Amino acid sequence: LRVGGRGQRVSPSGGGDKGVRGVEGARGVLEEVVSRPSVVVRKVDDELASTVVDLWTTARAEAESPKDAGSRRLTPEAIHAALGRADITAFVALIDRTPIGYAVLMDCSLNPFNGVACMSVEQLFVVREARGQGAAKALLSAIAAYAERQGAEQIASTVPATLRDANRFYARLGFTPLT
């Protein structure tokens, strides 16, 4: 799955895309397309499991969590074991072969009485310096495609109401609050 790409064209008006700059020329404004690197998303396999561990460690550091918060029970071995479970699927986002983010998806059911298949986004993280380049959107696109192939009718994510930017991000992608 590739999202974005080099040389991607945008509307002459710019369409709100941060990648477009107008350059004044002899005959008016010329359009210059400043592209961002392609985001590649790969499903995590044994080879990429250590990458998820490294990115999880980065996420904990960026969140400024106490050094031992969550780590007493969560070890690299525990993460590897979780990624090997049948009900958990993970994806890694890369730019120029450099890992920049990950997402973890889990089979779930929002209502045990209706039998509707659902998948839950348990974790979504993109390193600070790579944010705004489409990695999180690419990860969620990969999740949506995977969930559809698995027959899931719903995708859920638990986002605290206090995380306004995260809630706005999910809303732009079509997520709605459950009531």
Side-chain angles (χ1 to χ4, degrees):
L1 173 69
R2 286 186 178 273
V3 176
R6 300 185 196 289
Q8 182 178 24
R9 296 289 298 166
V10 295
S11 67
S13 67
D17 191 309
K18 296 177 188 173
V20 175
R21 292 189 297 212
V23 178
E24 190 66 37
R27 295 187 182 196
V29 176
L30 301 175
E31 184 181 86
E32 176 187 344
V33 177
V34 180
S35 64
R36 54 183 167 189
S38 294
V39 176
V40 176
V41 176
R42 288 185 49 202
K43 186 176 173 196
V44 171
D45 54 14
D46 290 338
E47 176 187 330
L48 283 174
S50 294
T51 301
V52 174
V53 172
D54 294 342
L55 288 166
W56 180 85
T57 302
T58 301
R60 299 300 295 171
E62 283 190 16
E64 298 179 2
S65 300
K67 288 184 181 183
D68 66 343
S71 64
R72 288 184 289 267
R73 291 178 290 161
L74 194 53
T75 63
E77 294 79 19
I79 294 173
H80 279 278
L83 293 174
R85 289 179 22 193
D87 63 333
I88 293 181
T89 304
F91 296 90
V92 170
L94 304 107
I95 290 181
D96 295 329
R97 298 184 182 175
T98 301
I100 57 160
Y102 74 98
V104 178
L105 184 66
M106 187 169 155
D107 289 341
C108 72
S109 175
L110 296 175
N111 182 342
F113 302 120
N114 69 8
V116 173
C118 176
M119 294 199 160
S120 174
V121 180
E122 295 296 316
Q123 295 187 16
L124 177 64
F125 171 74
V126 175
V127 295
R128 189 171 282 135
E129 55 272 6
R131 292 180 188 156
Q133 297 183 42
K137 186 175 181 180
L139 285 163
L140 285 174
S141 292
I143 284 171
Y146 177 81
E148 186 174 16
R149 285 192 307 272
Q150 300 303 311
E153 295 179 31
Q154 298 174 335
I155 298 173
S157 184
T158 303
V159 181
T162 57
L163 297 178
R164 292 180 54 186
D165 288 341
N167 279 290
R168 280 193 285 257
F169 170 75
Y170 279 101
R172 282 194 307 270
L173 296 177
F175 282 73
T176 58
L178 292 176
T179 54

